[in-house]
Amino acid sequence: MEAVLAGVRELLPVLREHAQETEDRRSLAPETVKALAETGFFRLLQPARFGGHEAHPLDFLTCVREIASACGSTGWVASVVGVHAWQLGLFPDRAQQDVWGGDPGTRMSSSYAPTGRISRVDGGYRVNGRWSFSSGCDHATWVLLGGIVPPGDDGTPADFRTFLLPASDYTIEDVWHTVGLRGTGSNDIVVDDAFVPEHRSLSFNDTARCVCPGQEQNPGPLYRIPYASIFTYAITTPIIGMATGAYRAHVDYTRERVRAAYAGVKAAEDPHAQVRVAEAAADIDSAWYALQTNMRELMDLTTAGAKLPMPLRLRIRRDQVRGTALAIRAVDRLFESSGGRALAVGTPIQRFWRDAHSGRVHAINDPERALSMYGRGEFGLPLNDAMV
């Protein structure tokens, strides 16, 4: 995996240089996606039988953090598109063949909020509706959509599932005009009466139980971890990366900044500025340390064939939302200490600040939901949330 990380790091100066251009075009440039693909990044979590690396999640998340430290929008798209290779590995083999059989480099975007209409039909489902916030959809030819299948007449209970659709079954509507993460191209997916065969759907109940059809062909430990443990960190890690980028930009800027309002004193000599940098660094390091610790413990247990204890799964969700909060606090502290010139369009500090706050409002980062689950677990109360 060192080769992939080295390739990603070689791209960082280019990503940093074109960050404003990415924001202005409201989508990643095709050249950027091609360059990322050539490093092998999008194959990190892909099953080995399709030429993927089947890497440790920490390898993937480390690359995500680096990418997001150069350009928040690129890091966000890389993370959410890159993690889909892991989820497809949980689908029935026929679905994996549908996507990767002809081209193992095929990418997927997603929108999991169950905003569409799903109905059961012979052999599968009928899917209709509109799904929003599908980051990177312009650079994908399949999409993963969340939907609730209503209870059946035979007493079959309702089921929250992911549905896999090819580009021929949906249209993309350009609606992405935002204050942050502007370069992610997170547009709407519109589906008009598409048929999705049974093998192209996956229940969230199965992903929560870590028992999925794809494990028959992909038995490795990577595909026996909970969806909520890896996908939630795929949202938090770009924000940690943005905070890292903001930190580096702030330190570089402050080293040379002179505060005219304070008799020409160098900002770097201000003890208050020094304290703020220390506090921001501590928050970023704390968020990343918890992520590393949790991912290593999770994979060590899975590799050993051990059952994943619920306290660990709850701790991962707790630390994930806390990691986002720590990263946001660090960015805020740095932004407040950067002075008025940091407000100028094109400066990295204000862009990282807007991007991080935009990522913060993702539903996965809802702290009350995750922290309440942790509290219920500590008090011995029942848990029935699939996102743990």
Side-chain angles (χ1 to χ4, degrees):
M1 301 310 103
E2 287 300 318
V4 178
L5 181 57
V8 164
R9 284 176 171 158
E10 286 182 9
L11 286 179
L12 298 185
V14 177
L15 299 180
R16 196 174 293 115
E17 179 183 353
H18 293 285
Q20 186 60 48
E21 178 185 333
T22 298
E23 175 165 285
D24 293 342
R25 68 179 291 144
R26 299 184 300 110
S27 178
L28 269 59
E31 296 80 7
T32 297
V33 178
K34 182 174 183 289
L36 280 172
E38 288 174 348
T39 68
F41 169 79
F42 290 115
R43 291 175 173 267
L44 282 173
L45 300 183
Q46 184 179 31
R49 67 197 186 99
F50 289 105
H53 295 294
E54 219 167 293
H56 194 293
L58 194 51
D59 293 327
F60 171 75
L61 296 173
T62 299
C63 288
V64 167
R65 183 189 183 189
E66 292 283 356
I67 297 167
S69 75
C71 174
S73 288
T74 304
W76 184 272
V77 171
S79 191
V80 297
V81 171
V83 79
H84 295 149
W86 173 83
Q87 188 181 11
L88 184 58
L90 306 181
F91 273 73
D93 179 56
R94 189 174 170 190
Q96 298 176 54
Q97 296 292 344
D98 287 348
V99 177
W100 288 324
D103 179 6
T106 299
R107 293 181 295 271
M108 299 149 280
S109 66
S110 67
S111 180
Y112 294 104
T115 54
R117 302 182 306 279
I118 314 296
S119 57
R120 301 176 190 266
V121 295
D122 288 344
Y125 307 89
R126 282 287 171 189
V127 177
N128 287 275
R130 178 185 294 269
W131 285 258
S132 298
F133 311 116
S134 189
S135 300
C137 56
D138 290 336
H139 305 288
T141 52
W142 288 75
V143 71
L144 295 155
L145 301 176
I148 297 177
V149 181
D153 295 336
D154 59 355
T156 306
D159 190 12
F160 185 15
R161 302 183 74 87
T162 300
F163 300 91
L164 175 65
L165 288 76
S168 57
D169 282 354
Y170 61 88
T171 58
I172 299 172
E173 288 198 10
D174 185 352
V175 299
W176 193 242
H177 300 275
T178 58
V179 298
L181 291 178
R182 288 172 54 83
T184 61
S186 303
N187 289 305
D188 284 6
I189 302 294
V190 181
V191 181
D192 183 14
D193 198 33
F195 171 72
V196 178
E198 180 69 36
H199 72 273
R200 290 190 199 153
S201 72
L202 182 69
S203 174
F204 273 96
N205 289 330
D206 290 343
T207 61
R209 294 186 300 114
C210 303
V211 178
C212 296
Q215 292 167 344
E216 183 175 346
Q217 288 76 30
N218 305 317
L222 177 62
Y223 304 102
R224 288 186 277 114
I225 61 177
Y227 172 90
S229 296
I230 186 167
F231 185 81
T232 58
Y233 266 138
I235 296 299
T236 287
T237 300
I239 300 174
I240 297 174
M242 295 168 207
T244 303
Y247 180 84
R248 293 170 182 166
H250 175 80
V251 169
D252 289 345
Y253 170 61
T254 304
R255 282 194 185 113
E256 306 302 325
R257 180 186 170 203
V258 175
R259 305 189 68 178
Y262 294 89
V265 174
K266 279 196 169 185
E269 296 175 358
D270 178 0
H272 301 296
Q274 296 161 3
V275 169
R276 287 181 178 181
V277 162
E279 290 175 336
D283 282 344
I284 296 168
D285 287 349
S286 294
W288 187 245
Y289 177 78
L291 181 154
Q292 290 178 304
T293 300
N294 290 335
M295 284 295 106
R296 285 173 179 147
E297 183 173 347
L298 180 73
M299 284 300 291
D300 285 349
L301 287 170
T302 308
T303 301
K307 183 177 180 180
L308 300 178
M310 185 55 67
L312 171 61
R313 295 172 64 165
L314 289 168
R315 189 181 81 210
I316 288 172
R317 285 289 279 123
R318 179 201 71 188
D319 291 348
Q320 173 259 315
V321 295
R322 288 289 298 154
T324 294
L326 288 168
I328 292 294
R329 188 167 72 181
V331 171
D332 284 349
R333 186 173 281 116
L334 296 167
F335 183 67
E336 292 165 3
S337 189
S338 292
R341 294 190 182 278
L343 295 172
V345 172
T347 58
I349 292 289
Q350 55 80 29
R351 185 170 54 245
F352 281 125
W353 186 85
R354 289 184 290 106
D355 287 347
H357 277 273
S358 297
R360 161 64 184 84
V361 300
H362 191 288
I364 287 298
N365 288 321
D366 178 358
E368 288 79 15
R369 178 182 180 184
L371 297 179
S372 175
M373 285 193 292
Y374 182 85
R376 290 185 67 86
E378 288 293 282
F379 293 141
L381 298 174
L383 295 161
N384 54 8
D385 195 314
M387 289 305 296
V388 67

